[in-house]
Amino acid sequence: MCAVCGCSSHDVKIESSGEHTHTHADGTTHSHSGAHRHQHDLHYGLGSARAHATGMSQARMVKVEQNILAKNDAYAGENRDYFHRRGIFALNLVSSPGSGKTTLLVRTVEALKHRHPICVIEGDQQTTLDADRIRATGVPALQINTGRGCHLDAHMVGHALERLQPRDNSLLLIENVGNLVCPASFDLGEAHKVAILSVTEGEDKPLKYPDMFAAAGLMLLNKADLLPHLDFNVSLAIEYARRINPGIRVIVTSARSGEGMEEWLGWLEERLSAVALKQEAAEPAAG
């Protein structure tokens, strides 16, 4: 019930402006706006589960989530051990749909395929279109279709590894389903999550989807070639990302113009070299 006029919740219509309209018994209406409009916002992420499901208590939701994530983490641990033993550097690329992930991935593969063994896991609800684009570069790729599922999980990736059989001392790039929510919670065994935010989206995405940007070690601010045609504040987007994750590294990129690609590829090369050095140091000890 509205604390100001006493209108009941079933009479309230939420307007796009943030106002609500109340219809009285005599047919007259009046609207509310201003200082108390925020009281009618709906927040379903404030409980212990930080989510809502009809008919399920917060405690039950927390228990279900803990069980699901515990199983996933066990599979992720197996994947991570596999990567560690074989010197595979695995990245989990995450973003909303349309950020340019696949185009950036193709450009990355083309730049590195003659220097490093590479394979790719593609996640989408349907089609093999993205995997086909990767295979066209000559690099092995496997498509995972999740159906109605909105993210990859560690068990799926484990099955993909059985089929792909990535080479030792290689780069594995995992392109997750386009979604800034669920992939944040599911560890795949990767070394890093890389969040890709395009300049065709809002600067406030890190604030709206904080879990993803908190989980990422790197943010690629992509499609920079479009900046002259957009009202997008790069500094503000970076500020928001670092408000969520002070340690996140940011690289401004464009797969089309090549901007930032050298820095991005350099970041990859540094980490591939570090993995190789660890492998070399471990081999004498194993022997």
Side-chain angles (χ1 to χ4, degrees):
M1 181 176 289
C2 177
V4 175
C5 73
C7 58
S8 61
S9 60
H10 67 273
D11 287 332
V12 174
K13 293 193 300 183
I14 306 300
E15 307 291 348
S16 60
S17 64
E19 298 181 346
H20 74 273
T21 303
H22 169 60
T23 303
H24 293 282
D26 62 1
T28 61
T29 63
H30 71 270
S31 300
H32 298 293
S33 62
H36 81 285
R37 77 173 60 169
H38 67 278
Q39 295 175 7
H40 301 286
D41 293 342
L42 299 175
H43 299 284
Y44 290 110
L46 299 180
S48 56
R50 296 178 61 205
H52 169 78
T54 302
M56 187 178 293
S57 70
Q58 289 282 297
R60 175 61 178 159
M61 287 183 67
V62 169
K63 181 63 175 176
V64 169
E65 181 179 7
Q66 287 174 338
N67 290 342
I68 291 171
L69 291 179
K71 290 179 181 178
N72 182 79
D73 288 348
Y75 287 120
E78 293 175 6
N79 292 346
R80 186 168 285 108
D81 289 343
Y82 176 90
F83 298 145
H84 177 73
R85 290 195 310 271
R86 303 188 62 178
I88 297 170
F89 181 58
L91 291 180
N92 182 3
L93 278 65
V94 291
S95 77
S96 56
S99 68
K101 281 196 309 296
T102 308
T103 301
L104 187 70
L105 198 53
V106 167
R107 184 75 179 262
T108 301
V109 166
E110 289 174 338
L112 294 178
K113 66 182 182 180
H114 298 299
R115 286 182 272 171
H116 303 279
I118 302 174
C119 63
V120 176
I121 295 172
E122 285 287 348
D124 278 304
Q125 289 188 310
Q126 297 294 342
T127 82
T128 63
L129 294 173
D130 287 352
D132 291 341
R133 290 177 64 185
I134 300 298
R135 293 180 190 124
T137 69
V139 165
L142 187 141
Q143 183 76 49
I144 298 176
N145 287 145
T146 61
R148 293 185 178 181
C150 57
H151 60 89
L152 297 177
D153 63 35
H155 194 219
M156 296 173 184
V157 170
H159 281 302
L161 294 172
E162 292 174 2
R163 296 200 178 188
L164 268 178
Q165 291 293 310
R167 291 169 55 183
D168 292 355
N169 305 309
S170 64
L171 172 63
L172 171 65
L173 298 168
I174 304 168
E175 182 178 352
N176 218 313
V177 179
N179 179 2
L180 282 176
V181 183
C182 297
S185 300
F186 283 80
D187 182 10
L188 306 181
E190 73 273 10
H192 300 280
K193 284 183 174 66
V194 177
I196 301 174
L197 172 65
S198 73
V199 300
T200 54
E201 304 172 69
E203 301 97 335
D204 55 3
K205 277 289 179 71
L207 300 182
K208 290 182 175 181
Y209 302 93
D211 288 353
M212 182 60 77
F213 292 88
L218 173 68
M219 180 175 85
L220 301 181
L221 193 52
N222 198 32
K223 299 189 178 181
D225 57 290
L226 297 178
L227 281 171
H229 311 288
L230 300 169
D231 183 17
F232 184 92
N233 189 322
V234 171
S235 298
L236 189 60
I238 296 172
E239 177 190 332
Y240 286 157
R242 288 181 174 154
R243 187 181 299 181
I244 299 300
N245 182 352
I248 196 168
R249 179 168 172 177
V250 180
I251 303 175
V252 179
T253 58
S254 168
R256 186 174 297 276
S257 71
E259 179 179 351
M261 289 301 296
E262 184 176 349
E263 186 178 357
W264 159 236
L265 295 173
W267 184 90
L268 287 169
E269 291 279 15
E270 288 173 8
R271 280 143 190 83
L272 284 164
S273 296
V275 170
L277 286 174
K278 285 183 180 179
Q279 284 296 105
E280 290 176 7
E283 285 173 5

Coordinates of all heavy atoms in Angstrom, one line a residue, residues 99 104 196-199 219-227 250-265:
S99 N 28.2 -8.4 -28.5 CA 29.3 -7.6 -28.0 C 30.5 -7.7 -29.0 O 31.5 -7.0 -28.9 CB 29.8 -8.1 -26.6 OG 30.4 -9.4 -26.7
L104 N 36.0 -10.9 -32.5 CA 37.3 -10.7 -31.8 C 38.1 -12.0 -31.6 O 39.3 -12.0 -31.8 CB 37.0 -10.1 -30.4 CG 38.2 -9.6 -29.6 CD1 38.9 -8.4 -30.2 CD2 37.8 -9.3 -28.1
I196 N 33.7 -9.0 -22.0 CA 33.8 -8.1 -23.2 C 32.5 -7.2 -23.2 O 31.4 -7.7 -23.2 CB 33.8 -9.0 -24.5 CG1 35.0 -9.9 -24.5 CG2 33.8 -8.1 -25.7 CD1 35.1 -10.9 -25.6
L197 N 32.8 -5.9 -23.1 CA 31.7 -4.9 -23.1 C 31.9 -4.1 -24.4 O 32.9 -3.5 -24.6 CB 31.8 -4.1 -21.9 CG 30.9 -2.9 -21.8 CD1 29.4 -3.3 -21.7 CD2 31.2 -2.0 -20.6
S198 N 30.8 -4.0 -25.2 CA 30.9 -3.2 -26.4 C 30.5 -1.8 -26.2 O 29.6 -1.6 -25.3 CB 30.1 -3.8 -27.6 OG 28.8 -3.6 -27.4
V199 N 31.0 -0.9 -26.9 CA 30.6 0.5 -26.8 C 29.2 0.8 -27.3 O 28.7 1.9 -27.1 CB 31.7 1.5 -27.5 CG1 33.0 1.3 -26.9 CG2 31.7 1.3 -29.0
M219 N 38.8 -6.7 -18.7 CA 37.6 -6.3 -19.5 C 38.1 -5.7 -20.8 O 39.0 -4.9 -20.9 CB 36.8 -5.2 -18.8 CG 35.6 -4.7 -19.6 SD 34.6 -3.5 -18.7 CE 35.5 -1.9 -19.0
L220 N 37.6 -6.2 -21.9 CA 37.8 -5.7 -23.3 C 36.7 -4.8 -23.6 O 35.5 -5.2 -23.7 CB 38.0 -6.8 -24.3 CG 39.1 -7.9 -24.0 CD1 39.1 -8.9 -25.1 CD2 40.5 -7.2 -23.9
L221 N 37.0 -3.5 -23.8 CA 35.9 -2.5 -24.2 C 36.0 -2.5 -25.7 O 36.8 -1.8 -26.3 CB 36.2 -1.2 -23.6 CG 35.1 -0.1 -23.6 CD1 33.8 -0.7 -23.1 CD2 35.6 1.1 -22.9
N222 N 35.0 -3.2 -26.3 CA 35.1 -3.6 -27.7 C 34.3 -2.7 -28.7 O 33.5 -1.9 -28.2 CB 34.7 -5.1 -27.9 CG 35.2 -5.7 -29.2 OD1 36.2 -5.3 -29.7 ND2 34.4 -6.6 -29.7
K223 N 34.5 -2.9 -30.0 CA 33.9 -2.1 -31.0 C 34.3 -0.6 -30.9 O 33.4 0.3 -31.2 CB 32.4 -2.3 -31.0 CG 31.9 -3.7 -31.3 CD 30.5 -3.8 -31.5 CE 30.0 -5.2 -31.7 NZ 28.6 -5.4 -31.9
A224 N 35.5 -0.3 -30.6 CA 35.9 1.1 -30.4 C 35.9 1.9 -31.7 O 35.9 3.1 -31.7 CB 37.4 1.1 -29.8
D225 N 35.9 1.2 -32.8 CA 35.8 1.9 -34.1 C 34.5 2.6 -34.3 O 34.4 3.6 -35.1 CB 36.0 0.9 -35.3 CG 35.0 -0.2 -35.2 OD1 35.1 -1.1 -34.3 OD2 34.1 -0.3 -36.1
L226 N 33.5 2.3 -33.5 CA 32.2 2.9 -33.6 C 32.1 4.1 -32.7 O 31.0 4.9 -32.7 CB 31.1 1.9 -33.2 CG 30.9 0.7 -34.1 CD1 29.8 -0.2 -33.6 CD2 30.6 1.2 -35.6
L227 N 33.1 4.4 -31.9 CA 33.0 5.5 -30.9 C 32.6 6.9 -31.5 O 31.9 7.7 -31.0 CB 34.3 5.6 -30.1 CG 34.4 4.6 -28.9 CD1 35.8 4.7 -28.3 CD2 33.4 4.9 -27.9
V250 N 41.7 -3.1 -18.1 CA 40.9 -2.7 -19.2 C 41.7 -2.5 -20.5 O 42.7 -1.7 -20.4 CB 40.0 -1.5 -18.9 CG1 39.1 -1.1 -20.0 CG2 39.2 -1.7 -17.6
I251 N 41.3 -3.1 -21.6 CA 41.9 -2.8 -22.9 C 40.8 -2.4 -23.8 O 39.8 -3.1 -24.0 CB 42.6 -4.0 -23.4 CG1 43.7 -4.5 -22.4 CG2 43.3 -3.7 -24.8 CD1 44.4 -5.8 -22.9
V252 N 40.9 -1.2 -24.5 CA 40.0 -0.8 -25.5 C 40.4 -1.4 -26.8 O 41.5 -1.3 -27.3 CB 40.0 0.8 -25.6 CG1 39.0 1.3 -26.6 CG2 39.7 1.4 -24.2
T253 N 39.4 -2.1 -27.4 CA 39.7 -2.9 -28.6 C 38.7 -2.7 -29.8 O 37.6 -2.2 -29.5 CB 39.7 -4.4 -28.3 OG1 38.4 -4.8 -27.8 CG2 40.8 -4.8 -27.3
S254 N 39.2 -3.0 -30.9 CA 38.3 -3.1 -32.1 C 38.9 -4.2 -33.0 O 40.0 -4.1 -33.5 CB 38.3 -1.8 -32.9 OG 37.6 -2.0 -34.1
A255 N 38.1 -5.2 -33.2 CA 38.5 -6.3 -34.1 C 38.5 -5.8 -35.6 O 39.3 -6.3 -36.4 CB 37.6 -7.5 -34.0
R256 N 37.7 -4.8 -35.9 CA 37.6 -4.3 -37.2 C 38.8 -3.4 -37.6 O 39.4 -3.5 -38.6 CB 36.3 -3.5 -37.4 CG 36.0 -3.1 -38.8 CD 34.7 -2.4 -39.0 NE 33.6 -3.4 -38.7 CZ 33.1 -4.3 -39.6 NH1 33.6 -4.3 -40.8 NH2 32.2 -5.1 -39.2
S257 N 39.1 -2.4 -36.7 CA 40.2 -1.5 -37.0 C 41.6 -2.0 -36.5 O 42.6 -1.5 -36.9 CB 39.9 -0.1 -36.4 OG 40.0 -0.2 -35.0
G258 N 41.6 -2.9 -35.6 CA 42.8 -3.4 -35.0 C 43.2 -2.7 -33.7 O 44.2 -3.0 -33.1
E259 N 42.5 -1.6 -33.3 CA 42.8 -0.9 -32.1 C 42.9 -1.8 -30.9 O 41.9 -2.6 -30.7 CB 41.8 0.2 -31.9 CG 42.1 1.0 -30.6 CD 41.1 2.2 -30.4 OE1 40.3 2.4 -31.3 OE2 41.2 2.8 -29.3
G260 N 43.9 -1.7 -30.1 CA 44.0 -2.5 -28.9 C 44.4 -3.9 -29.1 O 44.7 -4.6 -28.1
M261 N 44.5 -4.4 -30.3 CA 44.7 -5.8 -30.5 C 46.2 -6.2 -30.1 O 46.4 -7.3 -29.6 CB 44.5 -6.2 -32.0 CG 43.1 -6.2 -32.4 SD 42.0 -7.4 -31.5 CE 42.8 -9.0 -32.0
E262 N 47.1 -5.3 -30.4 CA 48.5 -5.6 -30.0 C 48.6 -5.8 -28.4 O 49.3 -6.7 -27.9 CB 49.4 -4.5 -30.4 CG 50.9 -4.7 -30.1 CD 51.8 -3.7 -30.7 OE1 51.3 -2.8 -31.5 OE2 53.0 -3.7 -30.4
E263 N 47.9 -4.9 -27.7 CA 47.9 -5.0 -26.2 C 47.2 -6.3 -25.8 O 47.7 -7.0 -24.9 CB 47.2 -3.8 -25.6 CG 47.3 -3.7 -24.1 CD 46.7 -2.5 -23.5 OE1 46.2 -1.6 -24.3 OE2 46.7 -2.4 -22.3
W264 N 46.1 -6.6 -26.4 CA 45.4 -7.8 -26.0 C 46.2 -9.1 -26.3 O 46.3 -10.0 -25.5 CB 44.0 -7.8 -26.8 CG 43.4 -9.1 -27.0 CD1 43.0 -9.6 -28.2 CD2 42.9 -10.1 -26.0 NE1 42.3 -10.9 -28.0 CE2 42.3 -11.2 -26.7 CE3 43.0 -10.2 -24.6 CZ2 41.7 -12.3 -26.1 CZ3 42.4 -11.3 -24.0 CH2 41.8 -12.3 -24.7
L265 N 46.8 -9.1 -27.5 CA 47.7 -10.2 -27.9 C 48.9 -10.3 -26.9 O 49.3 -11.4 -26.6 CB 48.1 -10.1 -29.3 CG 46.9 -10.3 -30.3 CD1 47.5 -10.0 -31.7 CD2 46.3 -11.6 -30.3

